[in-house]
Amino acid sequence: MPMPYREKKIDHMLVDRETIDAFIKRLGKEISRDYRGEELFFICVLKGSFMFAADLIREIDLPCQIDFMSVSSYAGEKTTGVVKINKDLDSSIAGKHVLIVEDIVDTGLTLNHLKSLLSTRNPASIGIVTAFDKPMRRRVDIHVDYVGMEVPNEFIVGYGLDLDGYYRNLPEVAVLSDKE
Ligand code: PRP
């Protein structure tokens, strides 16, 4: 039986605020430089990336828009990454330079499917930016254009990342203890 939220203990802090702030500034500079002269359309993939997206777009020195999508795996389809759209974009991405904003790339299945799906809507380009990356967990070969930092294969929470919906509000990223 899964342990209730209050019985889970934070084992140790993995990423502090200074580190997060530093990579957000770096990513903001890189993206602003790479897309100079263009406009950007950010897609925040709910829920986990809401905090990162809010911080990142404040470091973008270009005209930009942001919209939100909510996706989840179909029941029984976690191994294929086929996603169900719970909330779609409110506007068209045709002809726009799109950047999908994720909190974490794990197996890569969600993004692989989402990127294919969005590519059919004729954007001018489509890229991916993630705060955290767990490359050792990858199951599909997907190119992630911008990575805040790589993290080890541990269960992490905070800065948008959750356990059963909790812990997203931690300003830093922590590793949860698996001890009962
Ligand atoms: C997380 C994350 C990605 C996905 C990555 O979302 O935000 O969308 O998992 O996993 P993958 O690379 O193995 O596909 P989650 O399903 O936890 O939803 P949430 O953002 O609402 O917490």
Side-chain angles (χ1 to χ4, degrees):
M1 196 157 93
M3 256 190 294
Y5 163 69
R6 282 178 185 77
E7 290 174 25
K8 280 268 186 191
K9 297 274 187 303
I10 287 176
D11 191 75
H12 61 276
M13 207 56 76
L14 184 71
V15 192
D16 62 19
R17 269 306 322 179
E18 277 188 353
T19 306
I20 294 172
D21 290 345
F23 76 61
I24 289 169
K25 282 200 183 329
R26 171 179 58 78
L27 290 172
K29 282 200 182 76
E30 286 175 14
I31 292 167
S32 301
R33 181 199 62 211
D34 293 351
Y35 288 87
R36 187 155 308 284
E38 306 288 353
E39 291 191 15
L40 263 174
F41 190 98
F42 287 96
I43 297 177
C44 172
V45 186
L46 298 171
K47 302 184 176 79
S49 71
F50 76 102
M51 205 175 287
F52 174 52
D55 285 342
L56 179 67
I57 63 168
R58 280 179 279 188
E59 298 297 329
I60 300 297
D61 184 23
L62 298 172
C64 63
Q65 295 174 301
I66 186 163
D67 200 351
F68 302 85
M69 274 186 97
S70 169
V71 298
S72 56
S73 301
Y74 277 107
E77 291 284 355
K78 282 194 184 303
T79 52
T80 63
V82 175
V83 295
K84 177 163 86 102
I85 298 179
N86 301 317
K87 185 222 168 288
D88 206 337
L89 300 171
D90 291 333
S91 51
S92 166
I93 55 169
K96 296 183 178 171
H97 291 288
V98 170
L99 264 184
I100 304 172
V101 184
E102 268 290 13
D103 51 338
I104 191 160
V105 184
D106 193 342
T107 63
L109 289 165
T110 306
L111 269 176
N112 193 40
H113 186 80
L114 192 57
K115 192 175 177 185
S116 306
L117 180 83
L118 292 170
S119 298
T120 65
R121 300 182 184 182
N122 304 315
S125 67
I126 184 159
I128 295 170
V129 52
T130 187
F132 304 104
D133 188 14
K134 274 186 184 172
M136 66 290 288
R137 291 260 306 165
R138 205 70 94 246
R139 293 182 48 201
V140 283
D141 185 22
I142 182 157
H143 178 68
V144 183
D145 302 85
Y146 303 96
V147 175
M149 67 177 289
E150 288 188 8
V151 289
N153 187 17
E154 294 181 289
F155 197 95
I156 58 173
V157 292
Y159 196 63
L161 293 156
D162 75 309
L163 170 69
D164 295 338
Y166 294 96
Y167 291 110
R168 294 194 201 274
N169 57 317
L170 286 182
E172 307 91 6
V173 172
V175 176
L176 283 188
S177 167
D178 53 7
K179 295 185 199 79
E180 305 252 349

